[in-house]
Amino acid sequence: MNAEAFSVRTFVGPGLAGGPTAVFLLPHAPADDLMLRMARKADVAVTAFLFPSDRADARYAIRYCTPVLPITACGHATLAAAHVAFGVTGENTLVFDGPQCLLPVLKTDDGRIVMRYPKYQTVPYACPAPLLAALGIDRPLASDHCSELHALFLEIQPDALRRLRPDFPRLTASCDMFQEVVVSAVAETAGHDYMFRCFGPWMGIDEDPATGSVHGVLAHYWARRRATSALRVLQVSAEGAEMHVTALPDATLVAGRSELIAHH
């Protein structure tokens, strides 16, 4: 299959490298086994695949794959794909046909890309002790489960967040109902409202360098905590990433900057 390949860094900021992402522009939908082979070769956390949508209300369909399995949502791969699609089409607004829902994206005058995600629902969850031990967390301040994202959300003290050094084999073995664990805290840095890290060894990503879709939960949780709907967020991965999020009554806006690294 003929494919154009792009490498894009997403959610970049001052002194923050963001997340490296591969994007393939394809003439038609790829089979899962082909996506998996291409994602393994790309060797990044998540690879995005763009191809023409058969829906009248979407320009492209988008699919995502880690080096281990296809997944249903990925904000940084959507951001990278939008960067590519805007460059190819010359347009400033597009709609992607995603695995779960339609994903509108737009490019602002200052070059930032804004994605509209759902507001995901959570329920309180009693975290099993082996999972917490594998993370190196004694007692979280909050623990919630989001079934739509197959994710566990924990809040801990800010001074503990950067120190986390999970035991990933133990974490994977501790529970089989999640694809990722998202740990957040009040931001320590001036100008940011909350900070977070994202661990996904179940899907082949020990720590995601830049994450977008999880703000469909985090933005609304921290909007209540910080008493504001518009928040500036820091991801304290080794690379570092920054995003601006807005908690709407029934949706979530996730915005960030991106840079094209390579095209071939």
Side-chain angles (χ1 to χ4, degrees):
M1 182 188 299
N2 292 328
E4 287 188 77
F6 302 80
S7 179
V8 180
R9 282 200 168 272
T10 57
F11 294 119
V12 298
L16 304 170
T21 309
V23 180
F24 289 99
L25 186 58
L26 307 173
H28 54 78
D32 283 357
D33 62 339
L34 177 59
M35 283 199 301
L36 186 56
R37 290 199 303 271
M38 295 172 76
R40 285 173 176 164
K41 187 175 181 179
D43 194 28
V44 292
V46 181
T47 298
F49 299 85
L50 280 180
F51 50 92
S53 173
D54 56 8
R55 294 182 57 135
D57 53 357
R59 180 68 173 269
Y60 293 105
I62 187 168
R63 297 296 180 266
Y64 316 100
C65 196
T66 77
V68 173
L69 78 169
I71 57 175
T72 56
C74 182
H76 77 265
T78 303
L79 180 63
H83 185 114
V84 169
F86 288 140
V88 169
T89 65
E91 299 178 14
N92 291 326
T93 60
L94 288 168
V95 177
F96 291 150
D97 175 11
Q100 293 180 318
C101 60
L102 291 175
L103 296 168
V105 293
L106 66 89
K107 184 169 67 173
T108 63
D109 291 341
D110 67 355
R112 191 178 298 168
I113 292 174
V114 183
M115 304 172 287
R116 185 182 181 94
Y117 269 90
K119 175 185 179 181
Y120 296 114
Q121 302 301 315
T122 63
V123 295
Y125 179 78
C127 218
L131 187 149
L132 291 176
L135 285 167
I137 295 173
D138 182 24
R139 187 175 300 172
L141 303 175
S143 175
D144 297 283
H145 172 223
C146 175
S147 61
E148 294 168 287
L149 293 176
H150 309 289
L152 174 67
F153 290 81
L154 303 174
E155 182 192 351
I156 65 175
Q157 296 289 354
D159 60 345
L161 184 63
R162 292 180 187 270
R163 296 199 307 266
L164 289 181
R165 298 292 183 269
D167 182 327
F168 292 112
R170 286 179 62 198
L171 182 58
T172 306
S174 69
C175 186
D176 62 1
M177 67 179 292
F178 305 120
Q179 288 188 347
E180 59 189 337
V181 175
V182 183
V183 188
S184 65
V186 172
E188 297 174 311
T189 54
H192 293 102
D193 295 286
Y194 66 90
M195 57 186 183
F196 75 106
R197 295 173 69 182
C198 187
F199 307 111
W202 298 271
M203 53 183 178
I205 308 168
D206 283 350
E207 180 164 6
D208 198 356
T211 316
S213 58
V214 298
H215 300 288
V217 171
L218 290 176
H220 301 272
Y221 178 86
W222 286 102
R224 294 190 299 271
R225 291 287 311 277
R226 305 294 273 176
T228 180
S229 61
L231 305 108
R232 188 178 175 194
V233 187
L234 181 65
Q235 187 160 355
V236 291
S237 59
E239 295 83 352
E242 182 181 69
M243 49 285 296
H244 295 255
V245 302
T246 304
L248 302 177
D250 60 352
T252 314
L253 301 182
V254 183
R257 298 189 181 279
S258 53
E259 298 175 351
L260 179 65
I261 304 302
H263 173 209
H264 50 85

